Amino acid sequence: MISPVHAWVLTRFRGNINIYMGNEPVSRSLASQNLLLRGATLKNTEYIYGVAIYTGMETKMALNYQSKSQKRSAVEKSMNAYLVVYLCILISKAVINTALKYVWQSDPNKDEPWYNEKTETERQRHILIRAFTDFLAFMVLFNYIIPVSMYVTVEMQKFLGSYFMMWDDEMFDEELGERAVVNTSDLNEELGQVEYVFTDKTGTLTENNMEFIECCVDGNVYVPHVICNGQVMPGAAGIDMIDTSPGPDAREHEELFFRALCLCHTVQVKEEETVDGIKHGIHQGKSSSFYISSSPDEVALVEGMKRLGFTYLRLRDGQMEILNREDEIERFELLEVLTFDSVRRRMSVIVRSSTGELYLFCKGADSSIFPRVISGKVEQVKARVEHNAVEGLRTLCVAYRPLSAEQYGQVCHLLTRAKLEFQDQDKLVAEAYDLIERDLILLGATAVEDRLQDKAADTIESLHKAGMKVWVLTGDKMETAAATCYASKLFRRSTQILELTTKRTEEQSLHDVLFELSRTVLRHYGGMPRDTSSGLSSEYTDYGLIIDGATLSAVMRPSQEESNSGNYKEIFLEICRNCSAVLCCRMAPLQKAQIVKMIKASKEHPITLAIGDGANDVSMILEAHVGIGIMGKEGRQAVRNSDYAIPKFKHLKKMLLVHGHYYYIRISELVQYFFYKNVCFIFPQFLYQFFCGFSQQPLYDTAYLTLYNISFTSLPILLYSLMEQHINIDILKKEPSLYRDITKNSLLTWPIFTYWTVLGIYDAIVMFFGAYFLFDNTTFTSNGQ
Amino acid sequence: MMASSYNAKEEDGPHSGSSTHGGTGVAKNKKPDNTAFKQQRLPAWQPILTAGTVLPAFFVIGLIFIPIGIGLYVTSNNIKEFEIDYTGLELGSPCHDCSKNFTWNSTTPCVCALNFTLEQPFESNVYMYYGLSNFYQNHRRYVKSRDDRQLNGDPTSLMSPSKECEPYRTSAETKEPIAPCGAIANSLFNDTLELYYIEPNGTTTAIPLAKKGIAWWTDKHVKFRNPVNDKENLTELFKGTAKPVNWRKPVYELDPSDPENNGFINEDFIVWMRTAALPTFRKLYRIIHKKPSTTSTLPSGRYTLKVTYSILYNSVKAHAVKGQDKAFI
């Protein structure tokens, strides 16, 4: 029944169904509009018949499932390295003692004095077996140097410590009623090690809460909040002020524009009250009914229109009802919907007005509308669109085309023919759409703002100061994304922007562009070592890089014909390393993960953090060392796959700068202390062997040996590692640069580890010989015993 | 500030969005408690070390330790120690003959006498130690070679001692179990030391040496016990067992003068059984109790230490530490 499309093609579905009426199978084609996806709600009908397809492991979700690899923190890795060192120490100690034992025993008087004879079987044992058993006995004797209980304590510290994160009042969000969620406690300390932050834009940096800002009809700007009661007032902030009487032609265009926006969408009206109440409810502007759409932009547009006087009421019996400024209901018959797709990046509707005129309204991205426009005030609108894009607004252009009856007939013919075709349906439909959507007359453009989240700029600034490199990975187009980056202070005015986009690579070859950029970047840092250059970024010129998806995939593509194309990746990485901020726009979800992977694999092996809210960020969250989910509007997918989830982007600051810092300090002290205390404990035992003829006599009672790690020493340090605050929380928040002190695992480097070990050995020697000389010639009790 | 905005939200509870009463209830529960512990705001104190605070603290602590140090120094100086080496390896030593000719199975004990002079009288109780050098009482094989159950008077262990005692578990000839078994017991120090005071007029008086009170109380009363059954006589109790190879006398005849000090609870034996941690060690041998009169315990003058060599500590340097005067205690 189904002709399977590859699982990773998420947007397409094709199949046909054979319906048996009698014995004759009737074949019907199925496409994605016949498919009900998970989470679909039943509307307007009591029931539908359905067949379950793609179930269980066949679901696209399961097929796209990236097995969640075990994430291990840098601290754990260094812990393991230390363990290997200690194992070596253990073995060498045992070997030294075994060797010395036989040197010592070479004197038979010492090996077997008259007071301490061996048994017959002991004497007959082969020397190698004896040596081996001695070695094993020394291993057992010294095995306490390996801090076995450290793992238990570390796990407990992490588990209990993660509660502080959940309990944090400042990471509680009032609106959502959510607090931070810790899905894994293994990575607490990794939060203090982050060097690269990869963030999604929509929903993470921004609220994903679209707001209609303005529209522009033929170069005249309309701003909703300065329009009252259907009267267009001259906006105070507007640049191209409209006349109160724009003339009949403009007036007509204006109304057409508003109607177009009211009609050209796939928004549905969700009513809470009964049918009778709707009209009243909407008219009063109460939230008794609201709009639902797959795209938040559309909702914002329709709501914006409502504020401009044109209210979309509902779709009933193929009739779209609009309440216009004069409170009259206009009815349009919805004839065709040319749905939105990401290739065309526009959508259209064909409607018949109550007067019988046929219109095609088209709405889409500027780049896809302008080439199809034949008339209208293109220049003014274009200028406005560009202006808005720079402001960080999401822009859409609206155009229309009046259709004659014959034209409509043609359109219908084209569409039905395309839809009946099974083999190349998609292609034919696209061609048909292409034919229909042309010779448009430009009406205007809209601008929708996706507001920045609260304190997003402050957070990014702090992260920068803390020495982290922030990358924004977004699917949005370059101008919009760049504007958001400026607004969020990712790019400052002083930042020198390097562009690596399709536009540039079209002019020059990728090769040249890359080399030029790397030269620009490296020229600046020319003579000096990189450490100093990354130290205080504010004193040097900042570089910001903008790269788009297409160019990135070109960079990432493995070398095919030339050998030097493999170097592109290296050059690109070199450029990235020298940029404080990187913006990647037009990214596919998988590309996001690829970038994270690329940075992870670069030669410094930096710790990466990915933060996002939507399902498209999941792959990136799973790939990064630490994945953080934002409890956003796009579902819980990201939250479920993340290691930590926070309600808002601003909470990242406290999470990294305070909690991350603390946990890193705490756990590193914990780990070092554990090694120290075991050295301290066991080294006297080693020394004692020199005084007891290397006979494996333990220095301590068995009870001490057992309890030392478990109860004598683990609890105090556990408490310490839960509560330690070497610096006040407020200071940590105020001075993000303190974070730089602990990057690169700086508290678990080999010199520090050696320091602790040497300290342990020193203390052990002091304790052993202190006791040795103290009790050498004295008695313990007053009665001389 | 956050708290106030939260309250505002609570007031318009059901109105806000689609969340029902249950929704806000959940939200309410999710709000973390604003306690000092959970918000990591517990009071803390962190010393800020500056020269102004550290130096005075340093000197104050230093000043406190000066009197303590003086006190310890005076006490330590009041302890007098006199040590005599009777190993007899040097030719001139009176014990040279003994150490040379004596073997452990010789029937007659070898006695040697050492003369020495105390320049200063010893006040208070005097403790007499014997010391051994290069004797590895801490060797693992040696330390393990004992049966604590047997020493605690367990009748079954008495007749079948623990395997750890090998090769000092059963006697080679009679195959009887050795009591007390093991290497430690076998090597019991059994030199006899006697001390004589030579008065200025030439007469020699023996100084009374107390045998009791040299072992730990817990050892004597808890850890070491003679086997108990209906037989009263220790000789009967230890019937069927053999004496350790190196011993001259069986365990029940260790102290002929005091029947209460025989068997496993002999204090010399108990002291020996508490193994020393280092190869050079001292063990308490006798106590010379303070005299009730005002005279010194050991007045200054000439003394003779009579050593009865009983076993051969040939490789081991033995010396008697003569007294440790504890006038202060």
Side-chain angles (χ1 to χ4, degrees), chain A residues 115-119 164 167 169 174 178-179 666 688 691-692 695-696 698 725-726 772 779 783-785, chain B residues 6 30-32 37 39-40 42 46 127 129 135-136 138 140-141 166-168 213 215 277-279 284:
Chain A
Y115 53 85
N116 191 10
E117 287 169 350
K118 292 178 187 171
T119 56
F164 280 119
W167 284 335
D169 201 27
E174 311 293 346
E178 293 281 1
R179 63 185 185 190
R666 289 167 182 175
Y688 186 62
F691 294 92
C692 73
S695 59
Q696 299 107 34
Q725 296 181 7
H726 62 302
Y772 178 79
T779 51
N783 57 3
Q785 294 163 353
Chain B
Y6 180 65
K30 276 192 177 175
K31 173 147 175 90
F37 172 67
Q39 301 308 319
Q40 306 198 52
L42 286 176
Q46 198 172 20
Y127 300 97
Y129 296 87
F135 189 94
Y136 283 83
N138 57 8
R140 182 154 181 79
R141 197 167 352 109
E166 291 287 4
Y168 304 103
L278 296 169
L284 187 58

Side-chain angles (χ1 to χ4, degrees), chain B residues 85-257:
Chain B
D85 186 350
Y86 69 87
T87 316
L89 288 177
E90 315 84 55
L91 274 169
S93 167
C95 291
H96 183 66
D97 289 343
C98 281
S99 69
K100 246 181 100 182
N101 306 326
F102 190 73
T103 50
W104 68 268
N105 48 8
S106 44
T107 43
T108 46
C110 176
V111 181
C112 64
L114 295 102
N115 293 324
F116 63 94
T117 312
L118 283 183
E119 303 294 342
Q120 283 175 319
F122 278 40
E123 311 285 344
S124 188
N125 285 348
V126 177
Y127 300 97
M128 205 168 149
Y129 296 87
Y130 58 88
L132 300 173
S133 299
N134 252 339
F135 189 94
Y136 283 83
Q137 252 204 332
N138 57 8
H139 195 280
R140 182 154 181 79
R141 197 167 352 109
Y142 185 84
V143 171
K144 284 197 310 180
S145 187
R146 62 193 285 165
D147 186 352
D148 279 325
R149 288 163 64 87
Q150 189 192 49
L151 296 172
N152 198 24
D154 187 72
T156 43
S157 298
L158 181 70
M159 298 321 283
S160 59
S162 154
K163 284 270 191 302
E164 302 282 359
C165 286
E166 291 287 4
Y168 304 103
R169 188 165 166 261
T170 51
S171 78
E173 308 98 48
T174 57
K175 299 287 171 213
E176 283 176 323
I178 293 176
C181 76
I184 312 175
N186 185 54
S187 57
L188 174 70
F189 177 86
N190 55 1
D191 285 5
T192 316
L193 306 175
E194 285 164 80
L195 195 61
Y196 298 94
Y197 176 56
I198 305 166
E199 283 177 46
N201 55 16
T203 48
T204 313
T205 26
I207 291 163
L209 305 173
K211 296 175 172 180
K212 291 288 192 74
I214 56 171
W216 291 24
W217 188 91
T218 44
D219 279 357
K220 176 140 172 117
H221 294 94
V222 180
K223 209 173 168 188
F224 289 84
R225 254 181 289 176
N226 279 326
V228 183
N229 56 12
D230 45 351
K231 291 165 214 140
E232 283 297 304
N233 196 337
L234 273 179
T235 320
E236 292 289 307
L237 279 171
F238 285 100
K239 202 173 172 190
T241 62
K243 71 172 175 60
V245 193
N246 286 4
W247 288 19
R248 289 175 185 281
K249 296 175 281 184
V251 68
Y252 46 85
E253 285 169 14
L254 278 175
D255 189 356
S257 60

Side-chain angles (χ1 to χ4, degrees), chain A residues 48-146:
Chain A
I48 53 166
Y49 289 110
V51 177
I53 55 164
Y54 294 140
T55 55
M57 286 311 288
E58 283 179 1
T59 54
K60 299 206 174 187
M61 206 170 107
L63 289 170
N64 272 302
Y65 180 71
Q66 220 178 342
S67 65
K68 202 171 179 179
S69 58
Q70 180 81 36
K71 288 185 179 178
R72 292 211 343 265
S73 75
V75 170
E76 269 175 78
K77 280 173 199 154
S78 44
M79 239 160 74
N80 290 346
Y82 295 166
L83 275 184
V84 171
V85 171
Y86 269 66
L87 196 69
C88 293
I89 293 178
L90 167 68
I91 291 172
S92 55
K93 269 187 179 180
V95 168
I96 288 169
N97 268 342
T98 317
L100 285 176
K101 178 177 177 147
Y102 284 91
V103 171
W104 189 79
Q105 279 181 353
S106 55
D107 178 2
N109 228 350
K110 281 179 178 165
D111 182 25
E112 215 181 337
W114 59 267
Y115 53 85
N116 191 10
E117 287 169 350
K118 292 178 187 171
T119 56
E120 205 51 42
T121 44
E122 271 174 335
R123 259 180 230 142
Q124 278 161 3
R125 217 173 276 159
H126 192 268
I127 176 115
L128 279 179
I129 297 172
R130 265 190 292 163
F132 185 65
T133 37
D134 280 333
F135 172 74
L136 286 185
F138 280 120
M139 290 284 278
V140 171
L141 191 66
F142 299 140
N143 80 67
Y144 291 93
I145 201 172
I146 303 287

Side-chain angles (χ1 to χ4, degrees), chain A residues 446-466:
Chain A
T446 60
V448 170
E449 189 186 24
D450 188 2
R451 280 201 304 151
L452 274 185
Q453 278 201 3
D454 192 21
K455 287 185 188 160
D458 170 56
T459 308
I460 289 207
E461 218 178 349
S462 309
L463 295 185
H464 262 170
K465 275 189 198 152

Side-chain angles (χ1 to χ4, degrees), chain A residues 467-484:
Chain A
M468 281 175 248
K469 292 187 173 160
V470 184
W471 289 42
V472 174
L473 312 179
T474 176
D476 279 358
K477 67 178 186 191
M478 194 187 116
E479 289 80 11
T480 319
T484 315

